Amino acid sequence: MIYNAAKIKEKMQEGMVAFANNKYIKSISDGMIFMMTPIIVGSIFMLFANLPIATYKNFIDVHGITFILKVPVTFTINIMAVLSVFFIAYNVADQFEKDGGMAGLLALISFFIVTPMGEIKNNNHIFNYISFDWLGPKGLFVAIIIGMVTARIYVFFVQKGLVIKMPEGVPPAVSKSFTGLVPGFVTTSLALLIFIIFKYTPFGSLNQMIYNCIQIPLEGLSASYGALLIVNLAIGVLWFFGLHGTIIVFNGIMAPVYLAMDMENLAAYEAGTVLPNILGYQFFRCYVFMSGTGMTIGLMLVMAFFAKSSQYKTLGRLALPMSIFNINEPLIFGTPIVLNPFMLIPFLLTPLVTSSIAYIVTAIGIVPRLNGIQIPWPTPMILSGLMEGSWKIAVLQVILALISFSIYYFPFKALDRRAWEQEKKNSVDNA
């Protein structure tokens, strides 16, 4: 039985590690991580442009400062798909040890080709334009597909030697530009073919088809309460077996969907309309990953201030500063939570309870929906709640922290009692 359990664990770890290290999954995940810098920068300017202080808001509106503050938002958040297609293609090529810059450039060209253009007629002149509507979150899934496909075609041609090779002595930059000619012609032609085909369909463009048939249904599924529970359980179970469930499930699979939902909320927040989504990337940051995966802020508090054993009291106080900034690996591996049956139930139960409470009180309107502003991962609770739109969110975070404390208290105390008794026994034996 022990052998079989060990084998099952080993196979599960191998499968999950292989999934997490899959070149394409990793490229999407790494690409989205790159994206957090411009998104956070844009979110900060968005926050400054929309602080809910009447005097301040009137002042910046009257003096035209609001418009100025929204310029960085336009060229960070509102071109999110453009930035993503480059970084995803770059990372795909990099996974195959090929030139990421050229792959990213070709992906950008392909992305712009398939993106629908508008037309404005002014007297005898016709002006074409691309709406920001498709360059931002609405075009994210097209960016992911185009980025991966274009980069993979580029890598294929380079690997097979189907490129123009320059003689020795030619400057590297010139040689690289000629290397990209053949795959560039192929990817551009393919993108043009896609543009032509979809132009004559009821959708009118690849972007509209992806948005209607893939992105909206995925967001609908991911926005459900059931999806919230499944994502939480999957993350917790993987962590219990020593696998980074946050990276595998959240960053690797769900991040693009939840990030797009946050961007929808952010656009509504900027426009002053009703926020459409309860869930999103920041929902997990505020209500699920508070102090780290497993909502371990309660475990940290009971360990730091109520542990009797020296080992847990010391661990809790050492982990306290890091837990404040949402880093809980010392607790996960130091307690340990990994493969520890004492901690399995509270580790899985706590985020289920806290996220359920947050979902319900948001759905019935007691607490407002998060505005979708992207804040840095280490932002402490309360501050993150205030930045996401309301003191009510910050108060809810405090309440959820107390609930986390109550769930972790008794299972941890049982673990702590054993450690304390062992310490007393060791003290007697060494006397």
Side-chain angles (χ1 to χ4, degrees), residues 159-187:
Q159 286 179 332
K160 298 298 182 182
L162 303 173
V163 295
I164 297 174
K165 297 180 181 179
M166 301 302 290
E168 295 291 335
V170 174
V174 176
S175 181
K176 283 183 180 180
S177 66
F178 276 89
T179 298
L181 276 176
V182 174
F185 180 78
V186 172
T187 54

Side-chain angles (χ1 to χ4, degrees), residues 110-180:
S110 297
F111 176 78
F112 281 124
I113 289 173
V114 302
T115 302
M117 290 188 293
E119 189 176 273
I120 297 176
K121 294 181 180 179
N122 184 14
N123 297 327
N124 295 326
H125 299 284
I126 297 176
F127 301 94
N128 292 320
Y129 68 92
I130 296 178
S131 170
F132 274 97
D133 199 31
W134 293 116
L135 303 184
K138 201 172 175 180
L140 182 59
F141 277 73
V142 173
I144 292 171
I145 294 168
I146 293 293
M148 288 196 298
V149 172
T150 304
R152 192 62 188 88
I153 291 173
Y154 171 77
V155 167
F156 172 82
F157 274 82
V158 174
Q159 286 179 332
K160 298 298 182 182
L162 303 173
V163 295
I164 297 174
K165 297 180 181 179
M166 301 302 290
E168 295 291 335
V170 174
V174 176
S175 181
K176 283 183 180 180
S177 66
F178 276 89
T179 298

Side-chain angles (χ1 to χ4, degrees), residues 347-426:
F347 187 69
L348 295 181
L349 182 63
T350 304
L352 292 177
V353 171
T354 57
S355 61
S356 295
I357 291 171
Y359 186 94
I360 292 167
V361 298
T362 304
I364 62 180
I366 296 176
V367 172
R369 301 183 181 196
L370 306 184
N371 56 30
I373 285 176
Q374 300 302 297
I375 55 180
W377 177 276
T379 305
M381 60 175 281
I382 299 177
L383 178 58
S384 62
L386 293 172
M387 292 178 69
E388 284 299 327
S390 174
W391 62 268
K392 293 181 180 180
I393 297 171
V395 170
L396 177 59
Q397 287 181 310
V398 174
I399 294 171
L400 296 181
L402 295 175
I403 291 171
S404 169
F405 176 87
S406 66
I407 295 174
Y408 276 109
Y409 184 84
F410 291 106
F412 170 75
K413 289 299 288 182
L415 193 66
D416 180 52
R417 190 179 305 109
R418 292 179 62 187
W420 181 59
E421 290 172 354
Q422 185 62 47
E423 286 176 358
K424 284 199 306 180
K425 183 177 181 299
N426 292 341

Side-chain angles (χ1 to χ4, degrees), residues 242-305:
L243 299 167
H244 204 304
T246 313
I247 289 179
I248 295 171
V249 176
F250 192 71
N251 293 347
I253 300 173
M254 303 306 300
V257 180
Y258 283 130
L259 193 55
M261 292 163 68
D262 268 358
M263 294 303 101
E264 290 174 1
N265 276 16
L266 195 56
Y269 176 67
E270 182 182 13
T273 57
V274 177
L275 307 186
N277 301 307
I278 295 176
L279 297 184
Y281 200 83
Q282 290 304 316
F283 182 95
F284 282 82
R285 290 283 181 87
C286 283
Y287 301 136
V288 181
F289 300 146
M290 194 163 54
S291 83
T293 305
M295 192 71 172
T296 54
I297 187 169
L299 176 61
M300 179 272 296
L301 291 172
V302 68
M303 189 179 290
F305 301 107

Side-chain angles (χ1 to χ4, degrees), residues 11 17 46 56 84 97 99 122 180 222 228 241 244 275 296 300 375 393 403 411 416:
K11 290 295 182 184
V17 168
M46 175 76 82
Y56 168 84
S84 296
E97 300 181 349
D99 183 14
N122 184 14
S222 302
L228 174 65
F241 285 100
H244 204 304
L275 307 186
T296 54
M300 179 272 296
I375 55 180
I393 297 171
I403 291 171
D416 180 52

